[in-house]
Amino acid sequence: MRTGRRGIAVALFAVVLFGLLAPLLPLGSATEVQGPPFAAASGAHPLGTDFLGRDTLARVAAGGQTLIMQALTATATVSVVGVLLGAVTGMTTRRWSAVPLRILDGLSALPPLFILLLLASGTPGNDLVVVVAIVAVTTPFSVRVLREATRQVYETAFARVARARGDSVLQRLRHDILPGITEAMWADAGVRFVAAVQLAATAGFLGLTAGAPAANWGRMVRENVVGVGINPLPVLVPAALIIALALGFTLLIDRLSARTGADIGAAAGA
């Protein structure tokens, strides 16, 4: 069991490390034509060439950094906002606390792809706007999950004692609430990362990220699908790396959910 967890962690770390650092490797140009379109794998081109005859390995190496950075940035932002709003609204029963929840509920009712297209299509090729769209789509679910976790801690005996003792809100937040929801925070961050990877890959597939000739794993799948019968590697390799990212975090989330005794992924609804 422990070996399995280590294997997952090592595989996930390797994919993330490859995506972030591979652009620094001396693999040649990712934009220059190197041969005929969809050439088979060879010594000169271990993954063959893409639909324009560019080296597939060089483009795979250059195409993951933006996607991973978008997912990590969006996940960090959503986690901070989710913890703050979730904890604050979970620690009070006053009417004003329902206002941000109703606004987020309205936002969560919109289809994620609609929000992504609405924001990103207005400024095509802007990677930062894609991050903003991912944050807008996933924040409502994070707030809901962490608010519920906060409410459960808020009603425990030691939290009631702290309130009766007259501890301030910040003291209770620091010493009672945050330590009590730590595992839920990590599990929720894992779910948000998976959603962020999916949305970032979708944005790349739809051409909403930095335009050609910049490489992107999502756009590589769309660009090369016409030649999948000739050389499938330009489609299969970036798709497999995207799946490895999402699957690795999904497995880690399952472990965290088992430890917390709650199905965070199901509660998140995303």
Side-chain angles (χ1 to χ4, degrees):
M1 190 70 71
R2 184 171 297 178
T3 302
R5 287 200 297 269
R6 287 179 179 175
I8 292 169
V10 170
L12 176 62
F13 182 73
V15 172
V16 173
L17 201 63
F18 174 80
L20 292 176
L21 301 182
L24 302 177
L25 298 176
L27 297 175
S29 174
T31 58
E32 293 182 2
V33 175
Q34 304 286 332
F38 299 118
S42 64
H45 306 292
L47 299 180
T49 60
D50 71 353
F51 76 112
L52 288 180
R54 298 169 295 193
D55 184 68
T56 299
L57 178 59
R59 291 191 64 77
V60 168
Q65 190 176 61
T66 299
L67 186 149
I68 293 175
M69 288 305 298
Q70 286 175 326
L72 289 175
T73 304
T75 301
T77 305
V78 170
S79 296
V80 171
V81 175
V83 169
L84 291 177
L85 274 180
V88 170
T89 57
M91 292 178 65
T92 181
T93 56
R94 297 179 180 178
R95 289 185 177 180
W96 64 262
S97 66
V99 175
L101 293 178
R102 296 292 86 79
I103 295 174
L104 293 174
D105 286 344
L107 191 60
S108 65
L110 298 173
L113 189 57
F114 173 78
I115 297 178
L116 184 65
L117 289 171
L118 182 66
L119 295 180
S121 61
T123 55
N126 190 328
D127 290 327
L128 182 59
V129 173
V130 173
V131 174
V132 173
I134 295 171
V135 171
V137 167
T138 55
T139 294
F141 302 103
S142 184
V143 172
R144 277 291 180 184
V145 170
L146 295 175
R147 181 179 183 273
E148 181 59 29
T150 299
R151 294 298 300 171
Q152 292 178 8
V153 177
Y154 188 76
E155 297 300 333
T156 57
F158 65 86
R160 292 180 179 176
V161 169
R163 294 202 300 274
R165 193 167 55 226
D167 289 358
S168 67
V169 172
L170 289 179
Q171 286 177 319
R172 283 182 282 142
L173 182 65
R174 178 181 176 184
H175 298 293
D176 300 327
I177 301 301
L178 291 182
I181 66 173
T182 298
E183 290 187 347
M185 288 164 52
W186 282 112
D188 182 72
V191 175
R192 301 312 148 206
F193 182 82
V194 172
V197 168
Q198 293 173 340
L199 289 168
T202 300
F205 184 87
L206 296 175
L208 300 175
T209 56
N216 181 286
W217 287 352
R219 190 169 61 245
M220 286 183 68
V221 174
R222 186 198 63 185
E223 289 175 340
N224 297 295
V225 72
V226 295
V228 71
I230 305 172
N231 180 15
L233 294 179
V235 173
L236 295 182
V237 173
L241 290 171
I242 293 172
I243 293 171
L245 271 178
L247 182 61
F249 268 89
T250 301
L251 295 174
L252 290 178
I253 290 165
D254 288 342
R255 296 294 182 188
L256 287 171
S257 295
R259 290 179 60 188
T260 58
D263 190 350
I264 299 296

